Amino acid sequence: MKTQLSLLAIGTFFLHSTVITPAQLTEKKLTSEVKESVVSATPAFNSFRTHRQGKLGVTSTWDLSSESGIMHYELMRTYEDPTDPYANWEMVALTPVSNARSYKFTDSNVFPGYISYCVMAKMTSGGEVISPVSTIRIVSH
């Protein structure tokens, strides 16, 4: 009998803990509205592309909608699976902001295989905005 009452009490606790009141719903809505306004103020990448530049290497080009609050860009590369959280990303180039909104860098130190690149925009606030990953396959030099 005690076991049945304990299970009933636990079930009742979980039932009550998942109920959301209208006040909480409004609070969550307001929080998401604030988050959306912060996200819309954050610069976004319009494009990020990589392509083989003959025997010279791989050229990465990127541009942003706005450079407001960005200190510099770090072009990153990995020869490992880019979706692996333990992938070893290395910085290939550090590019200062020049208010050009469009940037290009040629990585001449590449080896055959799959290479993934991304750009990290370092913000003055300490945050960062990361571009989508672009992967290219180098067959041979």
Side-chain angles (χ1 to χ4, degrees), residues 118-138:
C118 73
V119 174
M120 212 181 323
K122 294 290 191 165
M123 308 295 290
T124 55
S125 64
E128 51 196 28
V129 178
I130 301 173
S131 73
V133 173
S134 179
T135 302
I136 190 165
R137 181 176 176 215
I138 304 292

Side-chain angles (χ1 to χ4, degrees), residues 30-47:
L30 289 175
T31 303
S32 67
E33 287 173 357
V34 169
K35 285 181 183 175
E36 286 175 16
S37 68
V38 169
V39 168
S40 65
T42 304
F45 284 88
N46 288 332
S47 67

Side-chain angles (χ1 to χ4, degrees), residues 85-104:
Y86 300 106
N88 181 29
W89 288 88
E90 59 184 328
M91 184 172 54
V92 178
L94 190 136
T95 306
V97 174
S98 66
N99 295 323
R101 285 198 187 169
S102 181
Y103 296 87
K104 179 192 267 188

Side-chain angles (χ1 to χ4, degrees), residues 51-59 106-107 110 136 138 140-141:
H51 63 278
R52 181 74 188 256
Q53 193 68 37
K55 292 187 177 194
L56 298 177
V58 176
T59 297
T106 300
D107 182 9
V110 295
I136 190 165
I138 304 292
S140 67
H141 278 294

